[in-house]
Amino acid sequence: MSDLLTHAEYQALAQNLDMPRTAFIDGKYRKGSGPVFTTSNPATGEVLVEISGCGAVDVDFAVKKAREAFDQGHWSKLHPSARKDVLIRLCKLITRNRRELAVMESLESGKPISDCETIDVPETIQCIKWHAEAIDKIYDQVGPNGDDAISMIVREPIGVVAAVLPWNFPLMMLAWKIGPALAAGCSVIVKPAEQTSLTALRVAELAHEAGVPRGVLQVLPGDGPSVGEPLGRHMDIDMVSFTGSTETGRRFLRYAADSNLKKVVLECGGKNPAVVFDDAENLDHVAEHVVNAAFWNAGQNCSATSRLIVHKAVKAPLMDRIHARLRDWKTGDPLDPATHIGALIDADHCAKVRSFLEKNDSGEGPFVPPVIYEVSKSDPKARDEIFGPVLCVIETSSNAEAVEVANQTDYGLAASVFTANTRQAIRAARDIKAGTVTVNCYGEGDISTPFGGYKQSGFGGRDNGLHAHDQFTELKTIWIDLTDPAEGDNVG
């Protein structure tokens, strides 16, 4: 999207940011009823800003305003092309303010500024734009009912949606949810992670400026008990879309069961394998993808490759290439464009990641350098989601064993297969239990392909693609009887 600035220029921008400090409710910033909390720079520990947190009172008020906005129809019944125009304006405003958002996200999340500038912000814009452009191109259906009736199968916006975000990709996960939800005509209440609230608040302000009506997009900062649980239990919320840990995802299923049986869509954890068969070609290419997959965003990525399952015939030359490539990855100040791995999100997460590491590999402060361990398939490092810059290498003696080991996990989000044999690649992709399987590369597909997981990695739906629109809509059948009543009276 644009050339990167210098380290000094990013530091100067950081000094002059006007950061949000309160919730965004009913079209404006409002102080919350909950406790004030701080958001900090994980790389330095410096407090960025104090934020007025929300509580159950604010949840009730925001839901009331969201429901009023939905029922009034200023957005939900707006012509699809008019909704599209508003979201396109939002994309233009995000583009205009992209540097501010990139620096804000880097400061608050510890992500390298180069990732924020070249990946997170551009993909946020692309996601919202893609769903905006799809609004007036999605057709409903007519059933095959013969001459006596017509059945129309139509999509209607589901209503009031709570979107609960993770801290690892604040902007992108915001876009993944509000893009299709707003496109469908829903009212959306966003609960950002308490560590990373700033960019969601700023985007809500930009959305209002673009023409999204009051009450249609609101952001409530705060912690899980104060905001997340009241949203999950609220009787007038129709759906929760959640991205985060499997443990927290389970809670939202319980909240739904205990309240109004609201729909719940979960995108949760992963223990994702890269499977390298004995005939894999171009090991330099394989190494490049494995390193990027394992250590991008410091491994704080639900689809990160945390297990390398490699045939013994190619293990040694592949590992040489992986170690050589990893030497170029710099850990350090997130605002330095040369940095590949920034700071872990907070002290609690650092402690969790370090609990899996040997003492010499633990790093200092919030910075954990990338590490590689050769382990058995039963090692806790190979089973548990570490969510840090840790790659576990498991050697196998056959390709069939590699696929078997890949499936030995409670998760099933993403996987990669590297092989020169097309038939073997397709067979492995079919046999691996994961929502996305890439062949001879690492990735998550693109905005047009659905993303979500098998087993404990997901529940209820998919992000991205037209499938994302479906999860924010209800299907309704309208049946029209075409028989002539007069003819019916004369029967017999």
Side-chain angles (χ1 to χ4, degrees), residues 23-24 122-123 201 364 419 427:
F24 193 87
E123 291 196 11
L201 290 165
E364 297 180 357
T419 175
R427 175 54 59 195

Side-chain angles (χ1 to χ4, degrees), residues 24-27 60-78 83 157-161 181-182 184-189 208 211-218 236 238:
F24 193 87
I25 302 176
D26 195 29
D60 287 342
F61 182 69
V63 173
K64 177 185 175 183
K65 292 301 179 181
R67 180 61 63 190
E68 287 176 358
F70 185 80
D71 290 344
Q72 288 165 358
H74 298 315
W75 184 256
S76 60
K77 293 182 172 64
L78 192 64
R83 287 204 304 271
I158 199 168
V160 178
V161 173
L182 292 177
C186 298
S187 295
V188 186
I189 300 171
H208 185 66
V212 174
R214 292 169 55 179
V216 172
L217 179 60
Q218 306 175 91
D236 203 25
D238 301 295

Side-chain angles (χ1 to χ4, degrees), residues 366-444:
F367 299 100
V368 175
V371 293
I372 299 173
Y373 293 123
E374 296 192 21
V375 301
S376 69
K377 60 186 179 183
S378 61
D379 190 297
K381 295 186 187 69
R383 296 197 315 266
D384 300 338
E385 187 181 35
I386 301 173
F387 221 63
V390 182
L391 175 63
C392 296
V393 181
I394 303 168
E395 179 184 305
T396 58
S397 57
S398 72
N399 296 337
E401 181 191 3
V403 172
E404 180 182 344
V405 172
N407 285 329
Q408 290 176 351
T409 174
D410 294 331
Y411 300 105
L413 187 57
S416 302
V417 177
F418 294 87
T419 175
N421 185 305
T422 302
R423 184 196 63 79
Q424 194 164 250
I426 294 173
R427 175 54 59 195
R430 296 295 297 269
D431 289 343
I432 293 174
K433 305 303 180 186
T436 298
V437 181
T438 57
V439 176
N440 292 327
C441 65
Y442 164 74
E444 297 176 353

Side-chain angles (χ1 to χ4, degrees), residues 5 19 34 36 46 56 72 74 123 150 162 195 238 261 267 282 297 315 318 359-360 371 413-414 420 433 439:
L5 302 180
M19 299 186 185
V36 173
E46 174 191 3
Q72 288 165 358
H74 298 315
E123 291 196 11
I150 291 177
Q195 300 95 329
D238 301 295
L261 285 180
E267 196 269 280
N282 192 347
N297 201 34
K315 176 187 168 189
L318 176 59
K359 187 174 181 179
N360 293 337
V371 293
L413 187 57
K433 305 303 180 186
V439 176

Side-chain angles (χ1 to χ4, degrees), residues 224-243:
S226 300
V227 180
E229 183 172 350
L231 286 171
R233 294 187 180 277
H234 206 285
M235 296 296 292
D236 203 25
I237 285 179
D238 301 295
M239 175 189 170
V240 170
S241 178
F242 168 81
T243 297

